[in-house]
Amino acid sequence: MKKFSFIVAAAAALVFASCGNKTQQVAESTDTVSFEQSQIQEKIMVELDSIADEWGKLAPVEGVFANGKIVLSEEELKAQPTYLLAPNAADDLTLLSQKYRALGMFTVDYQVAKLYKMDTEAYKAAMAKIVADINDPAAAFKETDNTPEAIKAYYLAEKENGRINLFWEQSAAIVVEQLYVMSQNAEKFFPAFDDKSASDLTYHIALLKLSLDDLATYDNNIKEIVEVLAPLNELNAISVDQLKEQVAKMKPQIEAARAALLK
């Protein structure tokens, strides 16, 4: 059996004994459909918690831009990327779901901008504005938010806030933006991967699918994301070579998914 098949099977089996669960209802006037976390069945909530535990064990996908394997020459630094999300894109967002997704995309783009020695303060300001708009201090960007402990704490904070749907929307945006950036400059970014990090990215996508499928029953926004991300389910790489080949083949679908996230 392929490693990926084993990974998906293991992730799908992440349902443990039931436990106590305290949730609260959240209704946002800026979204067309409110999400009621209190309606999630206890069995499903336990599974979501288990998926989040697995998610937190993996290195953040955007960390590939900060692992020291990407070295830019002076000439390359001059050719700054034009494909990143502009910091002022946050100004036109009205829906709560859009803002969490943009926050995820900015998390990735901040690391790329930093790599290219661009103005990262503009990204920090954009993220700070979104955090103020969504009134969610737990979502505030921190340079140290790349540890399993920090990710787990963030998930638990959003669960307490009744916003685990938004945690997963943000996570989806991070993965899509990561794939998008990689597809724009494959020759430069793929050398930062090894077979393990490539396989881990595949595992991120498998876990993301499980969580979104669970939540789609309760949230129409999530249901729409599931449809948007459906083409990415074909990504099953367990090596750098496979990942590079699949991302190149799926570039149009990745671009379409990225564009759809902020609509």
Side-chain angles (χ1 to χ4, degrees), residues 2-68:
K2 291 183 179 180
K3 179 181 177 183
F4 179 70
S5 298
F6 172 77
I7 285 173
V8 174
L14 287 173
V15 182
F16 302 104
S18 61
C19 62
N21 174 43
K22 181 180 179 181
T23 59
Q24 55 184 195
Q25 178 176 333
V26 173
E28 295 291 339
S29 60
T30 52
D31 276 307
T32 55
V33 180
S34 63
F35 168 73
E36 297 183 6
Q37 186 171 298
S38 60
Q39 292 186 356
I40 296 179
Q41 297 176 28
E42 187 173 13
K43 178 181 70 174
I44 300 300
M45 182 62 77
V46 173
E47 182 171 350
L48 288 166
D49 289 347
S50 301
I51 295 170
D53 282 342
E54 288 297 303
W55 183 271
K57 292 176 184 177
L58 298 170
V61 292
E62 70 274 12
V64 71
F65 297 118
N67 64 11

Side-chain angles (χ1 to χ4, degrees), residues 15 21 27 52 54 56 74 90 96 108 113 162 224:
V15 182
N21 174 43
E54 288 297 303
E74 289 300 321
L96 191 62
V108 175
E224 291 174 0

